[in-house]
Amino acid sequence: MRRRSLLIAVPTGLVTLAACGDGDDSGSSSGGDSASPEASASSSAPPPPKVVDGPLPAITAGTKFGEKPTVAKGSGDPSKDLAVKTVVAGGGRAVAENDFVSAHYLGQVWASAKVFDNSYDRKTPIVIQLAQGSIIDGWRYALAGRKTGSRVQFSVPPVYGYGEQGNEQAGIKGDDTLVFVVDVQDTFNANSSAKGKKVPQEDAALPKVGTNTDGKAPSIEVPKGDAPKKLVAEYVLEGDGAEVGAQDSVLVQYKGVVWDGGKEFDSTYARKQLTSFSLQQVVKGWAQGLTGKKVGSRVLVVIPPELGYGDNPPEGSGIEKDSTLVFSVDLLAKM
């Protein structure tokens, strides 16, 4: 199993889909081999930090954006404030609070220069949400306002990191200041869309999905004929990112309607909030339909009852028993 980042909490599954799974709730177990920075229920959030520009240890090798950095040991006492420096200034979109950010990073202890985690060796950036309770506060405040394409270095005192309890598994003590180098690759929010190339939708027996990329919900036009008996998963917009594996978690925009009548029953667009989930936690139609599809794509998924909710739809969902479901899914990132 790929090692999870020490920084991120277990991602929240798609509730309405996961509720109809096979009863195997693996959401929390997937993070069992690493720690989470999520604050305990009894702890209160500290006030926003004062942001200063140093001191910060030198980056001695791997100085370019995207390269694994080598960072010197901290010299003297670290700042008790949040020290932040943009090492490489990017020209992309600015990151905002509650955005999901795709980034490569390295983290080490100020006093010892011990590297406790990095994504470069895993050759896969992490996707994290800059939201309270999802990520340590030092990341939230250091990255907000930075632009994609930027390399940001910052030091995090314990109060904005793992607190007095530290992180025993990572070898972080309660009084350790942490140093991070983060390469911000992309950012996603409720206005994000897939950006792939349009694929002709020529089968009149299948629903037609809108190809707009303005962050608004695409239209889904369901034909009047009978629903297909087998799973359908076809590109509407084909991206050029990595293929999604059966074990992966994904960040998505989606809209779901019922085949009979085309009534919408669920949508991230309506909630104005992206969602992330593991393909092991959703109904079989989602898992099978999205496996092998490329990041950056919009996918039409038509799910027959036996691969969806069958005769046990979620209470209050407005879905009748044995309904065929139609989804437009934008695969924004692989987590």
Side-chain angles (χ1 to χ4, degrees):
M1 178 181 293
R2 181 169 64 87
R3 184 174 178 270
R4 284 177 54 83
S5 164
L6 290 165
L7 292 168
I8 54 178
V10 176
T12 302
L14 186 60
V15 175
T16 55
L17 290 174
C20 187
D22 296 328
D24 178 16
D25 183 5
S26 57
S28 59
S29 62
S30 64
D33 55 353
S34 66
S36 164
E38 195 170 53
S40 65
S42 60
S43 65
S44 58
K50 178 181 179 181
V51 178
V52 297
D53 58 8
L56 287 166
I59 300 174
T60 59
T63 58
K64 296 180 180 179
F65 181 88
E67 293 181 340
K68 179 184 176 181
T70 300
V71 183
K73 179 181 175 181
S75 177
D77 293 331
S79 175
K80 295 187 181 301
D81 299 314
L82 184 67
V84 185
K85 178 182 179 181
T86 298
V87 180
V88 176
R93 289 188 300 148
V95 175
E97 178 81 3
N98 294 315
D99 279 4
F100 285 83
V101 175
S102 173
H104 271 302
Y105 71 98
L106 178 140
Q108 67 184 47
V109 177
W110 173 283
S112 65
K114 176 190 174 184
V115 175
F116 57 84
D117 198 13
N118 88 91
S119 65
Y120 300 93
D121 289 347
R122 295 192 287 271
K123 302 186 184 305
T124 302
I126 60 167
V127 179
I128 55 175
Q129 187 178 20
L130 296 186
Q132 186 175 354
S134 296
I135 188 78
I136 58 175
D137 286 332
W139 273 62
R140 291 174 52 219
Y141 293 113
L143 295 185
R146 311 294 164 166
K147 293 184 177 180
T148 57
S150 296
R151 166 166 283 191
V152 185
Q153 183 183 17
F154 51 99
S155 66
V156 180
V159 67
Y160 298 109
Y162 294 98
E164 295 179 354
Q165 73 272 18
N167 187 318
E168 183 178 358
Q169 183 177 354
I172 298 170
K173 301 190 296 292
D175 59 353
D176 279 336
T177 290
L178 310 178
V179 179
F180 291 96
V181 176
V182 178
D183 289 334
V184 183
Q185 297 194 331
D186 209 345
T187 184
F188 307 95
N189 57 36
N191 295 319
S192 296
S193 288
K195 300 293 186 181
K197 294 182 179 180
K198 294 182 182 179
V199 176
Q201 302 179 67
E202 298 175 341
D203 191 340
L206 293 179
K208 298 295 184 292
V209 177
T211 57
N212 57 297
T213 59
D214 55 3
K216 296 180 180 178
S219 59
I220 301 178
E221 299 178 6
V222 180
K224 294 182 179 180
D226 293 337
K229 301 298 183 183
K230 295 183 178 180
L231 177 71
V232 173
E234 296 190 355
Y235 287 120
V236 176
L237 302 172
E238 184 173 0
D240 58 4
E243 290 187 359
V244 175
Q247 308 294 319
D248 287 333
S249 294
V250 290
L251 178 69
V252 301
Q253 287 265 41
Y254 74 92
K255 173 181 172 180
V257 304
V258 179
W259 181 284
D260 291 334
K263 180 182 177 181
E264 179 179 312
F265 62 86
D266 198 9
S267 170
T268 57
Y269 303 95
R271 293 194 297 273
K272 300 185 185 302
Q273 184 177 18
L274 303 180
T275 194
S276 62
F277 54 85
S278 166
L279 291 189
Q280 294 181 297
Q281 293 177 280
V282 293
V283 293
K284 292 178 180 178
W286 268 69
Q288 294 176 17
L290 297 182
T291 297
K293 294 297 188 286
K294 291 181 282 189
V295 171
S297 300
R298 176 170 297 164
V299 184
L300 164 68
V301 184
V302 182
I303 303 178
E306 62 271 19
L307 296 179
Y309 298 115
D311 61 0
N312 186 30
E315 185 176 352
S317 65
I319 301 172
E320 301 293 334
K321 293 182 178 180
D322 298 321
S323 291
T324 294
L325 308 178
V326 181
F327 288 94
S328 169
V329 184
D330 281 18
L331 290 169
L332 301 177
K334 185 167 70 168
M335 305 181 73

